[in-house]
């Protein structure tokens, strides 16, 4: 999170320009009109808070995500792209609770960013429902891939309800 400007700071062209710059690369073009439209949804005495929210947002670009995926994988103890150098079995799993959620998208981005998208790496990627049948033991590693979590409620609620697949009840 970035530090917001002090309360009562003007919502002026310079501040708007900083927001525009920050959101370059967003999937939809962010314009001055869109920012002011978004701010206009707030009651006038709440606009300062809305502006401070925009000040605080850290927009993560695709390049940031790819760099983070590569960095995280390379820092994991026991991982090697060379199967003979890996410690134990490794499996990567989309952390999604229903088809088409962000975990599915993130897993594809992870594969591309880390160079694990070739067919020879397919065995490393399984569905959550396949985990019980994967014959994994204490020396093996399962990596769940998803986008950045806020509160963690999706994860804890999904596992509590048993939404991780048809093989178990939670």
């Amino acid at each position: 999170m970035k530090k917001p400007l002090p309360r009562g700071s003007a919502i002026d062209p310079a501040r708007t320009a900083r927001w525009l710059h920050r959101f370059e690369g967003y999937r939809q073009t962010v314009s001055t009109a869109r920012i002011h439209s978004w701010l206009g949804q707030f009651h006038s005495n709440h606009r300062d808070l809305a502006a401070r929210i925009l000040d605080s947002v850290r927009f993560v670009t695709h390049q940031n995500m790819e760099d983070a995926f590569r960095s995280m994988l390379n820092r994991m103890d026991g991982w090697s792209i060379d199967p003979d150098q890996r410690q134990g079995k490794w499996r990567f799993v989309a952390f999604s609770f229903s088809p088409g959620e962000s975990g599915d998208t993130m897993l594809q981005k992870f594969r591309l960013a880390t160079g694990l998208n070739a067919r020879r790496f397919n065995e490393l990627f399984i569905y959550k429902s396949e985990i019980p049948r994967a014959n994994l033991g204490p020396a093996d590693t399962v990596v769940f891939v998803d986008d950045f979590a806020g509160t963690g409620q999706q994860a804890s609620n999904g596992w509590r309800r048993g939404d991780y697949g048809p093989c178990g009840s939670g």
Side-chain angles (χ1 to χ4, degrees):
M1 181 174 105
K2 296 182 176 282
K3 185 175 179 169
L5 291 180
R7 287 182 173 92
S9 296
I11 301 173
D12 58 12
R15 192 174 188 188
T16 302
R18 286 192 297 274
W19 294 331
L20 290 172
H21 178 71
R22 179 173 302 147
F23 293 110
E24 284 178 3
Y26 188 65
R27 62 185 157 92
Q28 295 177 349
T29 302
V30 178
S31 64
T32 301
R34 287 189 74 167
I35 287 173
H36 288 291
S37 175
W38 186 81
L39 290 169
Q41 298 176 92
F42 293 85
H43 191 273
S44 60
N45 50 343
H46 294 151
R47 283 202 190 109
D48 181 63
L49 174 61
R52 295 182 81 237
I53 289 170
L54 288 177
D55 290 341
S56 301
V57 169
R58 178 170 180 238
F59 173 63
V60 178
T61 66
H62 290 286
Q63 187 63 52
N64 295 145
M65 255 191 298
E66 291 171 6
D67 293 345
F69 281 142
R70 281 189 293 275
S71 175
M72 287 185 290
L73 182 60
N74 290 331
R75 288 190 331 243
M76 290 184 175
D77 290 335
W79 167 254
S80 174
I81 195 136
D82 179 351
D84 295 329
Q85 299 297 313
R86 275 183 221 135
Q87 295 175 10
K89 290 187 229 171
W90 283 70
R91 296 298 179 264
F92 299 93
V93 181
F95 198 64
S96 297
F97 291 100
S98 63
E101 286 186 345
S102 59
D104 300 328
T105 301
M106 293 297 109
L107 189 64
Q108 184 220 18
K109 290 180 184 300
F110 174 83
R111 286 189 78 162
L112 291 170
T114 58
L116 297 174
N117 55 320
R119 194 172 281 153
R120 66 188 168 122
F121 298 113
N122 282 354
E123 74 171 5
L124 295 172
F125 296 87
I126 62 174
Y127 295 105
K128 280 195 320 284
S129 61
E130 296 175 302
I131 293 171
R133 295 186 305 273
N135 296 319
L136 301 172
D140 300 325
T141 303
V142 176
V143 178
F144 292 99
V145 180
D146 198 359
D147 57 357
F148 303 96
T151 65
Q153 287 302 121
Q154 176 189 7
S156 62
N157 290 344
W159 283 100
R160 190 172 16 270
R161 286 191 312 262
D163 291 346
Y164 54 86
C167 297
S169 60

